[in-house]
Amino acid sequence: MIIRREHAGDRPEILAVVKAAFPEPVEAKLLRELFASREYIPELSLVAESDRGEILGHVITTRGWIGAEKSLGLGPIAVQPEYQNQGVGSALMNATIEQANKMGESTLVLLGSTDYYPRFGFVPADSMGITSPDPSWGSHFMALPLAAHKPGLHGQFKYSEPFNAL
Ligand SMILES: CC(C)(COP(=O)(O)OP(=O)(O)OC[C@H]1O[C@@H](n2cnc3c(N)ncnc32)[C@H](O)[C@@H]1OP(=O)(O)O)[C@@H](O)C(=O)NCCC(=O)NCCS
């Protein structure tokens, strides 16, 4: 398996993986909107590809903000059901973190399972002074300080535009 940037022709296969991984159509719709948004970042739309050229998983990270400062919002991430729990999601997460660090980004933020993301270094965002767009998300709203993180970076997180329509 390799992790690489998405190619233009990958999108139908990526969307099929997302539809298979999530029971509701909301994530596939969100992903289509993220692909078309101003906040799309080509270097942070990554696929996991098998040796046979099959797309096993995908993760996207788009521009977000903490107050007026640039940040990143990760998601959706999806792995084809028959390939879950085999390290594909972890490889996509680690590649995203590595790439975001290379790009000199400060923080990576997401909404997700408190059983999964802490293993990559994510902590409750409010413990870093980053407040959630929706207080009901509680500790599921998490953040990872990257190499260029400045400890004084506090404020409310704002996702890219398509998230606001959810
Ligand atoms: C969540 C997901 C991306 C993880 O990718 P993966 O390749 O299955 O995960 P990995 O093989 O890297 O890691 C396996 C570990 O993740 C845990 N895990 C898998 N899916 C999980 C989930 N939805 N919530 C919490 N933990 C999860 C497994 O229990 C396993 O834990 P262990 O290492 O303690 O045994 C993938 O399972 C998926 O696409 N799920 C459906 C869509 C989804 O829920 N996306 C995330 C929304 S926050």
Side-chain angles (χ1 to χ4, degrees), residues 21-22 77-79 84-90 111-113 116-117 119:
F22 287 98
I77 177 169
V79 174
Q84 288 177 8
N85 296 311
Q86 297 172 40
V88 177
S90 296
L111 176 64
S113 164
Y116 189 56
Y117 298 101
R119 70 187 66 192

Side-chain angles (χ1 to χ4, degrees), residues 104-120:
E105 294 285 341
S106 68
T107 42
L108 193 51
V109 171
L110 57 78
L111 176 64
S113 164
T114 51
D115 290 332
Y116 189 56
Y117 298 101
R119 70 187 66 192
F120 305 106

